[in-house]
């Protein structure tokens, strides 16, 4: 598999496969966000998921993929810090706000910053049409959040109002970390010869912190949830994470980071559908139109390139 990925890197086949990976990551990332938000405490859900994917990835890291080059350990350390900050902020935001409000803000903040950063880090450029597509997609995502926010209004100055404003601030901060990890992960997966070396060790190292946070939180809960449903969520979430985060990281090696990041944010469309079907959150005609706007923006970004 590694040889095939290296062979198509920089080719039209690689670009087409990167498109498939980015859209796959979009769907799976929406599912992953719903799994973390779900009916369990977001800190517990994330801790169990991280612990499961670290344990599953460990034998692959030790016995299957080539050993990382010496310079990769510093890259893994920085990636660990960025992802830890992202996960803490996201869990805090999910604790305070509805999934369909928080998720679009997080995903809408990230792509524009990622596109700009990719121009400086990877010397990427976008056409005028692609910039219009980015603007269309980002505006649609943020409007989606505003539309959801309109149905979450509370009396000004109330506890719920302050909690919602706090969730929005945290969501914007989380979006900044999304841009940071997207760019840095793209740098990391390009810094090693075998991309699967980066992926295997990333999941092992990234899963070290949150299981401990979740365990401590579980111990002090007055009525902790039964462990078996949490464990099932963790195993399912681990495999979703492998294909979601793994797909987007691999796509950034095969194609432009900025374009890939923008296409991945069509996850907000999938998230709105998931929120409606499984989390009982409302989807009306306005939200449906905004989904079309987001999808159209993604199409323009891909077509304009």
């Amino acid at each position: 598999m590694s040889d095939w990925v290296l062979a198509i890197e920089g080719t039209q086949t690689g670009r087409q496969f990167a498109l498939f990976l980015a859209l796959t990551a979009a769907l799976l990332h929406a599912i992953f966000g719903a799994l973390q938000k779900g009916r369990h405490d977001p800190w517990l859900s994330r801790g169990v998921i991280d612990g499961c994917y670290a344990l599953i990835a460990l034998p692959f890291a030790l016995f299957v993929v080539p050993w990382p080059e010496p310079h990769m350990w510093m890259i893994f350390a920085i990636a660990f810090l960025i992802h830890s900050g992202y996960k803490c902020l996201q869990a805090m935001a999910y604790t305070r706000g509805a999934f369909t409000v928080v998720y679009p803000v997080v995903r809408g903040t990230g792509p524009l910053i990622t596109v700009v950063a990719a121009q400086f880090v990877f010397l990427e450029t976008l056409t005028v049409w692609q910039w219009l597509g980015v603007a269309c997609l980002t505006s649609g995502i943020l409007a989606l959040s505003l539309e959801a926010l309109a149905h979450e209004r509370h009396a000004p100055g109330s506890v719920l109002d302050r909690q919602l404003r706090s969730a929005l601030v945290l969501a914007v901060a989380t979006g900044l970390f999304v841009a940071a990890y997207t760019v840095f992960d793209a740098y990391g997966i390009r810094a090693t010869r075998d991309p699967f070396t980066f992926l295997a060790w990333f999941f092992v190292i990234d899963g070290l912190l949150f299981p401990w946070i979740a365990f401590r939180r579980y111990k002090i809960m007055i009525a902790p949830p039964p462990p078996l449903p949490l464990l099932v969520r963790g195993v399912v979430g681990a495999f979703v994470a492998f294909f979601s985060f793994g797909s987007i990281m691999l796509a950034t090696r095969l194609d432009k980071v900025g374009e890939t990041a923008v296409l991945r944010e069509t996850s907000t469309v999938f998230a709105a559908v998931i929120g409606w079907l499984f989390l009982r959150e409302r989807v009306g005609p306005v939200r449906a139109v905004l989904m079309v706007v987001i999808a159209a923006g993604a199409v323009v970004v891909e077509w304009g390139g």
Side-chain angles (χ1 to χ4, degrees):
M1 184 67 176
S2 298
D3 292 336
W4 181 75
V5 170
L6 294 173
I8 66 171
E9 189 175 346
T11 67
Q12 184 60 27
T13 301
R15 178 179 171 81
Q16 292 172 350
F17 188 54
L19 170 62
F20 168 76
L21 289 172
L23 294 177
T24 300
L27 171 60
L28 294 176
H29 199 280
I31 295 172
F32 186 85
L35 284 171
Q36 185 179 355
K37 171 65 177 174
R39 61 188 180 88
H40 294 296
D41 179 279
W43 297 88
L44 293 186
S45 298
R46 186 70 205 223
V48 176
I49 290 171
D50 282 17
C52 287
Y53 69 50
L55 289 174
I56 295 170
L58 184 60
F60 290 92
L62 292 176
F63 305 115
V64 178
V65 300
W67 198 256
E69 300 91 333
H71 68 272
M72 290 302 299
W73 297 112
M74 180 58 70
I75 291 175
F76 286 135
I78 296 173
F80 172 77
L81 293 175
I82 295 173
H83 278 269
S84 295
Y86 152 72
K87 289 186 286 189
C88 287
L89 288 169
Q90 187 169 61
M92 292 166 67
Y94 280 159
T95 303
R96 292 165 172 79
F99 178 66
T100 48
V101 174
V102 170
Y103 191 85
V105 174
V106 172
R107 308 320 303 185
T109 306
L112 184 59
I113 299 171
T114 302
V115 168
V116 173
Q119 292 194 55
F120 293 97
V121 178
F122 303 108
L123 304 179
E124 295 180 357
T125 58
L126 297 184
T127 66
V128 173
W129 278 107
Q130 286 181 304
W131 277 111
L132 289 173
V134 171
C136 180
L137 180 139
T138 302
S139 300
I141 291 173
L142 294 178
L144 192 65
S145 181
L146 290 174
E147 194 274 341
L149 184 61
H151 297 280
E152 295 287 332
R153 286 178 178 168
H154 305 289
S158 68
V159 173
L160 291 176
D161 179 60
R162 291 195 298 272
Q163 182 173 300
L164 188 57
R165 282 184 290 171
S166 174
L168 291 175
V169 172
L170 289 167
V172 171
T174 306
L176 297 177
F177 271 79
V178 168
Y181 81 60
T182 301
V183 173
F184 192 80
D185 290 347
Y187 171 78
I189 201 168
R190 295 178 182 197
T192 182
R193 184 187 181 280
D194 193 315
F196 293 99
T197 294
F198 178 84
L199 292 175
W201 281 100
F202 166 80
F203 283 113
V204 171
I205 295 170
D206 188 60
L208 295 177
L209 176 63
F210 257 66
W212 295 107
I213 295 176
F215 177 70
R216 292 178 65 86
R217 192 175 180 90
Y218 189 87
K219 284 179 64 177
I220 63 174
M221 281 184 165
I222 298 174
L228 184 57
L230 267 177
L231 182 60
V232 171
R233 183 176 294 260
V235 173
V236 173
F239 283 100
V240 172
F242 288 142
F243 290 101
S244 173
F245 291 102
S247 292
I248 196 62
M249 290 178 190
L250 200 55
T252 59
R253 175 151 179 166
L254 294 173
D255 199 5
K256 289 182 177 180
V257 177
E259 287 185 29
T260 302
V262 169
L263 292 172
R264 189 262 309 274
E265 303 317 336
T266 54
S267 61
T268 52
V269 175
F270 298 116
V273 175
I274 290 169
W276 171 57
L277 288 175
F278 300 105
L279 302 180
R280 315 240 173 197
E281 297 178 359
R282 178 184 172 275
V283 174
V286 174
R287 193 171 297 183
V289 170
L290 291 175
M291 290 182 198
V292 174
V293 171
I294 294 167
V299 170
V300 172
V301 169
E302 184 62 22
W303 169 80

